Structure formats: C-alpha cells, structure tokens
C-alpha cells in the first residue's frame, strides 16, 4: 500500500523556522517526483516546492529563497526546511508523489499519491 505521512508542522512566530518531513513507502518514493503543496482556509491548494528523482528542484516565487526542499532516497523521506516564515505561510502542507515531468511539477492533478497533511501556523 502506498503511503505518505507528513510530520513536523506546528505553531511558530513570524521569522521562525520549521522543518517538515514526509515518510514514503518505497513504491511512492522510487523514481517519482516529490512535492509540497499547501492549502490555506478558503483558498485553493497551491504549489510550494518540488524535487525530481534526479535532484532538480523547483519553487514557487512566494517561497523561493526561504524554503528548501530535499530528499533522502536511502530513507525514503522528503523534507521541507522553512525559514523566515511569514503569517501568509499559514496553511495545511501536503506531501505528494508522482511520475511528473519537468513541465508539470506545479500541477496537483499530476501527482498520484498524497499525504494527509500537516498544519503550519505562523503567528505575528
């Protein structure tokens, strides 16, 4: 069974940092692109960052320079290091996996597997 399990969310003050983790079953992780999406209340799910199997990374403009996505293929784990957090980063963060081409990394519909989400709340 394919599983993605996120952890690491929480409450942090503006300017602080959090690191999210996503533990994946082998089938979900191997040879797949991995990504983080987020969804704030009343808003659509939006792309935050992605990393393909070969290691190239992509970021939304809103998080570029503050967030870093990485993967440990030996541990089947995806990470998102979030620095200089802002209140507008408050959202449920979802881990996703799929056979996604470079042109589709920002499209949620292209990802076959999803985690249950972890809440990140950034206070003033």
């Amino acid at each position: 069974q394919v599983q993605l399990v996120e952890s690491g969310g929480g409450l942090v003050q503006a300017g602080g940092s959090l690191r999210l983790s996503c533990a994946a079953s082998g089938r979900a992780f191997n040879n797949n692109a991995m990504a983080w999406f987020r969804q704030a209340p009343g808003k659509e799910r939006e792309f935050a960052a992605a990393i393909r199997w070969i290691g190239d990374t992509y970021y939304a403009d809103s998080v570029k320079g503050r967030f870093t996505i990485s993967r440990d293929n030996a541990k089947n784990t995806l990470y998102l290091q979030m620095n200089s957090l802002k209140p507008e980063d408050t959202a449920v963060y979802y881990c996703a996996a799929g056979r996604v081409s470079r042109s589709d990394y920002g499209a949620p519909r292209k990802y076959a597997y999803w985690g249950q989400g972890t809440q990140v709340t950034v206070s003033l």
Side-chain angles (χ1 to χ4, degrees), residues 2 8-9 13 20 23-24 30-31 34-35 37 45 48-49 54 67-68 75 83 89-90 95 97 99-100 107 109:
V2 174
Q13 287 189 326
L20 305 183
N30 294 342
N31 300 316
M34 303 289 295
F37 287 80
R45 191 167 298 189
I54 59 174
F67 291 10
T68 301
K75 295 182 178 179
N83 299 328
D89 294 319
T90 296
C95 171
R99 295 290 184 101
V100 180
R109 67 185 186 281

Side-chain angles (χ1 to χ4, degrees), residues 1-122:
Q1 185 177 0
V2 174
Q3 278 193 316
L4 298 175
V5 180
E6 301 99 333
S7 61
L11 174 64
V12 64
Q13 287 189 326
S17 298
L18 282 175
R19 188 176 83 154
L20 305 183
S21 298
C22 173
S25 64
R27 182 181 170 188
F29 202 82
N30 294 342
N31 300 316
N32 277 333
M34 303 289 295
W36 290 97
F37 287 80
R38 64 185 185 181
Q39 188 167 18
K43 295 187 177 181
E44 292 187 355
R45 191 167 298 189
E46 65 172 11
F47 169 75
I51 183 168
R52 295 203 301 157
W53 178 253
I54 59 174
D56 48 329
T57 57
Y58 306 90
Y59 296 95
D61 288 342
S62 58
V63 307
K64 199 172 295 183
R66 300 187 299 121
F67 291 10
T68 301
I69 189 170
S70 61
R71 62 193 295 166
D72 186 331
N73 292 337
K75 295 182 178 179
N76 287 355
T77 303
L78 177 73
Y79 302 100
L80 185 68
Q81 178 67 43
M82 304 186 295
N83 299 328
S84 303
L85 283 162
K86 305 175 181 179
E88 52 263 44
D89 294 319
T90 296
V92 177
Y93 283 71
Y94 297 90
C95 171
R99 295 290 184 101
V100 180
S101 67
R102 188 169 57 182
S103 60
D104 291 330
Y105 61 82
R109 67 185 186 281
K110 294 295 186 178
Y111 291 84
Y113 309 111
W114 291 85
Q116 82 289 349
T118 185
Q119 176 70 47
V120 171
T121 303
V122 184

